[in-house]
Amino acid sequence: MPFDSTPDITNNQVQVITQAPSLGAQEVEQFITTPVEMALANIPRVTERRSISRSGLSVITLVFDDAADVYWARQQVSQQLKEAEEVLPQGKGTVGLAPVTTGLGEIYHYTIRAEKGYEDKYSLTDLRTMQDWIVRKQLSGTEGIAEVSGWGGYVKQYEVAIDADRLNASGLTVADVYDALEAGNENTGGSYIEKNSSQYFIRGIGLTTSLEDIGKIPVKTIGGTPILVRDVANVQFGYATRYGAVTRNGEGEVVAGITLMLKGENFQQVIKNVKKRMAQIQKSLPEGVAIEPFIDRTQLVDRVTGTITRNLIEGGLIVVFILVLFLGNYRAGLVVASVIPLSMLFAFGMMKLFGVSGNLMSLGAIDFGLIVDGAVIIVEAVCHHIGISRDKYRGASLTQAQMDDEVYLSASKIRKSAAFGEIIIMTVYLPLLTLAGIEGKMFRPMAMTIFFAILGAFILSLTYVPMASALFLSKESTHKRNLSDRLIEKLRGWYLPVITKSLNWSKTLIASMVVLFAISLLVFNRLGGEFIPSLEEGDFAAEISMAQGTSLSQMVESTMQAEKILKAQFPEVKQAVTRIGSSEIPTDPMPVERADMLISLIPKAQWTSAKTKDELMEKMEEALSVIPGMEVEMTQPIQMRNNDLITGIKQDVAIKIYGNDLDALESSAKKVASLIKDVDGVSEPFVEKVQGLPQIQVKYDRDRLAKYGISIATANRVLEAAFAGRRTGYVFEEDRRFDMVVRMDNDLRNDLAALEGLYLPLPDGGTLPLRQVAEISFEDAPAQITHEDGLRRIYVGFNVRGRDVQSTVEEIQGILDKELKLPAGYYYTYGGQFQNLQEATGRLMLAVPLALLVILCLLYATLKNVRETLFVFSAIPLSAIGGVWALWLRDMPFSISACVGFIALFGVAVLNGIVLIGQFNTFEKEGMTDVRKRIVEGCMLRLRPVIMTALVASLGFMPMALSTGDGAEVQRPLATVVIGGLLTATILTLIVLPSIYKTFTRENRKEA
């Protein structure tokens, strides 16, 4: 069975990535993003469409409904892209689809670095070449891997670096060199010839294999003298334009790689395959080169598995202890406890059959107390029945046939109540299967697993439990008083005066409960709300941003400084690796001035700088605030990746502003940021940077170009080749392929005078400097243009700390409604976790009433009496009181996790009510007409199973409620609600339900 840390909540999406190095952000939007968006607009089953246009890059994300097959979706997109490619500028961009992966796909991050003593032997170019041609090549094809993405270092190229002076002196242009290189680097086949009895294939060898070969390519012959490439350029090893880098521990740059898991694969099998292949790859690397993982999700999965296992074992032991204690019979306790492993085996088989993976949500919320509830009621009834039948057998041991009869008689009496109780608990989870979106992916597996486990227990309690009771319970009819009897007698001694007095004050008690329920509703409304408590992943991610247009070298320097600070000041940091800008496969298209620092931490138990995740994050942010111009936002790797993939925004909450003019959008976003920055709970707001990218703009004078007969296409081609570099072909080193690129020499590429003096070819064979036909100036330009459903958009993002999401956003809504005035036609919405919470709450507003309606119908089917159905149903508001106060006392906001706890609670809460009312009805049928006597004797008789079922169900959740292990924060609200609710539900069932029964039964008798 597949096992992972959490369910994969990423939506069903296809990303279209177009790399166009020669286009600016506006050109990318106009020539690539908008035409492609238009072509993809009518694909069926698309629920959301968003895009980013940036210099050299366009990323369009299409989100499909969850039922759509991802390969079908990719096929639809591919078909439409063929039409779109016809309207895209020829040769300006390469269009492709992102790998088939998800937010949980980044399973193994590693660095390739030179070991100590070998730093001078291997350059960053060498390390990057090893990543691309040894590591990536061998990892590709590993079962379950979608893609291996490289990041950082220098991608090796064969560079023809043109010397402007020598080129101009020769009377040549960049275009001449480009054409010569294209013509001087190819092989060909010349068919074959037959000679004697043999056949010889003809092959023309003209491919360049070395720098020397490239240098010998002739550009032009002037006066009988050939001018070679080496005469006008330096032929050397260079590197591709870098849009990203990776630094590690403040020690310098390294090369990194990320293995992306194929969507729907079994994580444990895939990571095993990757590690096995990595061990093999390490052996094939040169001496002195090491591959070192820095984020390995196995560690998180192991920690979460440890938390789940510990909670389940502790919960199971608590359940067994309570059973043995209250039944006073270790055999009875073990018969009931044996239902746990058997029902879990049944659940695992069903999970495998229905494709439900094991994770924190599907296995972490199982309560063994719920599973054994039916068995507890049956075994307790059998023990009680044999106990009261001792006079019948006069101390003799029962034969197997007599034991079978006694078990059948006692089990069949209580079976109806126990069966319907279990059916109610099972059925109450069914509305959770109606949840869709993220909350559906989170909680559907949990609902299915619990349903399967209780279904298994239900089948076992009908078959196995009576059989095991008949076989294994003691057949002695004599009974010695034991600790259990003394405990129950003591409880009955305390309970009798309480129930007697409460019946005297029935109406007052009922009115008090109504008032308490009303107060609880007020408290509930003040709890605040969040979507789902974030899982503590055990590692941090710092989102780093600097001023628009910050150079890559400056980013490298600043991030190294940040890594040094964290390593020096926080002993918790094992390793800090920063990914700057974008990788080769830009599924996360960050600009150069933004970076993600992944901080690998030691286990939480060993922390000394802080006790909690939030406290350590705040201290780290404060420590990094000394770096000038750097903004830092702490989060966690999977949380950040999920936020980014699901909403396109890495922060928890975003205020998204829509409009057409980028300047108006930017000023509106800055105003929003200034209005919300002082709101309690809001971290430093991040405004999406859309403007202010420094550019050198070459504006052509069309009249002068026409005068000299130069076309804009010719001028652009020379400009692109000289500065961006233009590929003229490939150079092969055995099976490795490297680009051959023409560009200006590196010193001249950073010189404005070289740009102005760039020579353009004239039709008559002469040349002309660029400055004579163009105006060259420094300008600020758009850095990034974002679309959502075809509209331009900007966002202000922030994470929420020390406060719940709902109350934070509600306060912000009040401020923005009063203070923010947007231009005509502009509007804003909320995205991220708040949007998820709103959507989930809307669906739960249907699921919860549906669950309550199902409970009501099942109760009526059990009791066949409207009045008694409503008596038992009263346990639900009584249990809700405890759930609400438990959340309030533990300072927890209402979350979807807590809501699921309430749904589970309502199912269990009515179980004891059914047992009590069932006993009252039995006494009534036996001719007991005194209502008060019926209530008191029924309550005293059923005290043991009522307390026992409540304790096993609530205390079975206790380890979850108190756990501080990895993953416990997601389980804690659910467990807190169930424990708090069951405590009050049990107390109130034993006190208030009898009062309700007495009050309304007596009134009915008067009417009769």
Side-chain angles (χ1 to χ4, degrees), residues 133-165:
W133 294 102
I134 299 177
V135 180
R136 182 170 183 259
K137 196 171 181 185
Q138 290 188 46
L139 263 183
S140 296
T142 304
E143 192 178 348
I145 290 295
E147 186 57 82
V148 181
S149 180
W151 206 318
Y154 297 89
V155 178
K156 180 178 171 182
Q157 290 181 336
Y158 281 76
E159 183 178 89
V160 176
I162 291 169
D163 183 315
D165 293 336

Side-chain angles (χ1 to χ4, degrees), residues 573-587:
V573 176
K574 265 198 303 191
Q575 195 173 186
V577 176
T578 308
R579 306 183 313 200
I580 302 164
S582 296
S583 64
E584 304 307 290
I585 302 164
T587 51

Side-chain angles (χ1 to χ4, degrees), residues 248 276 490 499 607 667 930:
R248 176 183 176 272
K276 188 177 173 185
K490 195 81 174 164
I499 185 70
W607 289 7
S667 64
D930 185 343

Side-chain angles (χ1 to χ4, degrees), residues 3 267-268 275 297-307:
F3 196 91
F267 161 74
Q268 290 191 309
K275 288 183 175 179
R297 209 166 75 239
T298 316
Q299 295 162 0
L300 172 62
V301 172
D302 289 346
R303 289 196 302 269
V304 168
T305 308
T307 301

